[in-house]
Amino acid sequence: MNKGITFAGNILVDVVKTISGYPQPGMLANITAVSQAVGGCVPNTAIDVAKMDPSMPIAAYGRVGDDAYGQYVTGQMAAHGIDVTHVQITREAPTSFSDVMSDVASGERTFFHARGANAYFAPADVDVETLDCRIFHIGYILLLDKMDEADEKYGTALAGLLAQVQAKGIKTSIDVVSDSTGRFREKIVPALRYCDYAIMNEIEGCGVSGLEPRNPDGSICVENIRTTMEQMLSLGVRDRVILHSKEGGFMLTADGQFRYAPAIDIAPEQIAGKVGAGDAFCAGCLYGLHNSMDDEALLPFASAAAACNLTAADSVSGMRSAEAVSAIAAAGRI
């Protein structure tokens, strides 16, 4: 039965500012364009999946402020058929936002983030008893203050929530934000004990193992990636660990099957921006997992979803139907 996916966690607005180059301290860079778009785990992944398959039941859980940004982001999700009735409106803080500085020359982006209402999203905001979905996906660990709080029994409040969701027979999935405070093990390991799918990038994953994701020459260190994934499974991930990088995606299943799929070939001139590429990859994974996609097809499909994302400056405009994404995966290029 198609029970759909519930997305919980960060909801925000990205204010994308295209710049001529990143300036040195005290210097000036020109802003050549400004646009507003949805951002964060919930809107990005939920809208991406909704664009792949508009018929899939999708629900959003999180918090926004009582302001124009909150109205905008919930309105965008609702316009894609996503159930936003569980998104709480708080007057304690404004809707979270990020100023995204996108370098026009390299496509690289830098984020200046205001936590806002996301800091108040707590386990009590999710009525587990009424959850009716196949997969419950939450992100980003390290960017949800109430969820990241210590818990005597489970390690973190988020881990306790995941334990409740798993006990209801719902598959759980997590994503993480790249964080420079070194709290990866402290906040992620407790969640790994109660998740079926752990999906994140190679830097975040290796933050758990302490291993370097890259060789001295900058190439991806497959040995360390695999060891990291094995550690994550040993720490409690029930089904599979999926790590993604610019080179492609890696997957290790609970029965020891290790797979790699290279990134989709895309010309530099086709890349409009990299905001939300990781979320698009994650959305591809979740779509495939929900629909019991063959393991051989899942990673190429997720990589194709990420390639679609790269063709637009914002996080969701580049996504296409599942059929179109599958065609790109089959071709290996976009």
Side-chain angles (χ1 to χ4, degrees):
M1 185 170 61
N2 186 10
K3 298 187 71 174
I5 305 173
T6 291
F7 295 91
N10 291 89
I11 299 175
L12 58 111
V13 172
D14 281 336
V15 183
V16 182
K17 299 174 181 178
T18 303
I19 59 175
S20 56
Y22 208 82
Q24 295 295 318
M27 302 304 288
L28 180 145
N30 288 310
I31 297 172
T32 58
V34 179
S35 61
Q36 178 176 296
V38 302
C41 172
V42 176
N44 289 354
T45 49
I47 291 176
D48 280 343
V49 173
K51 294 185 75 169
M52 292 176 192
D53 182 2
S55 69
M56 184 182 292
I58 301 173
Y61 283 73
R63 286 204 179 204
V64 296
D66 186 14
D67 51 34
Y69 276 174
Q71 294 169 12
Y72 168 76
V73 70
T74 54
Q76 289 295 304
M77 287 192 286
H80 286 88
I82 297 164
D83 178 4
V84 296
T85 59
H86 304 288
V87 176
Q88 306 290 319
I89 298 175
T90 179
R91 290 179 172 81
E92 296 174 279
T95 300
S96 175
F97 68 92
S98 290
D99 280 343
V100 184
M101 305 301 174
S102 182
D103 189 330
V104 69
S106 68
E108 295 297 330
R109 71 269 196 258
T110 305
F111 298 85
F112 296 86
H113 180 67
R115 286 171 121 84
N118 287 327
Y120 295 89
F121 180 54
D125 294 328
V126 181
D127 184 356
V128 176
E129 289 305 311
T130 61
L131 279 179
D132 186 25
C133 56
R134 181 172 295 173
I135 300 174
F136 178 85
H137 177 74
I138 187 165
Y140 308 112
I141 298 174
L142 297 173
L143 208 57
L144 294 167
D145 297 45
K146 292 291 185 183
M147 294 290 186
D148 287 334
E149 286 182 351
D151 181 273
E152 186 174 341
K153 181 177 180 180
Y154 296 101
T156 65
L158 187 145
L161 172 61
L162 292 175
Q164 294 180 58
V165 176
Q166 268 194 344
K168 199 172 185 293
I170 297 170
K171 297 287 189 181
T172 56
S173 173
I174 62 167
D175 196 1
V176 188
V177 71
S178 297
D179 180 271
S180 60
T181 63
R183 300 178 301 150
F184 281 94
R185 289 192 61 85
E186 176 189 350
K187 299 303 179 183
I188 298 172
V189 170
L192 295 177
R193 301 187 189 109
Y194 305 102
C195 77
D196 294 279
Y197 314 122
I199 307 170
M200 60 193 74
N201 69 33
E202 85 283 16
I203 298 171
E204 295 153 357
C206 287
V208 174
S209 67
L211 299 172
E212 289 295 330
R214 298 192 173 275
N215 297 307
D217 65 358
S219 63
I220 196 79
C221 182
V222 177
E223 180 181 357
N224 285 356
I225 294 294
R226 181 163 186 167
T227 300
T228 292
M229 298 169 84
E230 290 170 347
Q231 287 189 23
M232 293 171 77
L233 283 173
S234 71
L235 288 166
V237 179
R238 289 188 179 183
D239 195 306
R240 65 198 68 200
V241 176
I242 301 173
L243 301 185
H244 56 87
S245 67
K246 64 182 180 181
E247 290 85 0
F250 302 83
M251 179 167 64
L252 182 65
T253 60
D255 63 1
Q257 297 296 312
F258 180 75
R259 289 179 171 82
Y260 167 74
I264 298 299
D265 186 25
I266 180 170
E269 61 269 19
Q270 291 178 282
I271 299 175
K274 299 181 180 180
V275 178
D279 287 323
F281 183 95
C282 182
C285 290
L286 292 170
Y287 174 88
L289 292 166
H290 179 275
N291 290 288
S292 302
M293 186 179 289
D294 183 87
D295 281 348
E296 291 291 339
L298 193 147
L299 285 179
F301 183 87
S303 291
C308 289
N309 166 272
L310 297 176
T311 64
D314 63 31
S315 298
V316 297
S317 295
M319 190 50 64
R320 307 179 190 184
S321 70
E323 292 77 11
V325 175
S326 293
I328 293 169
R333 57 184 176 83
I334 189 169

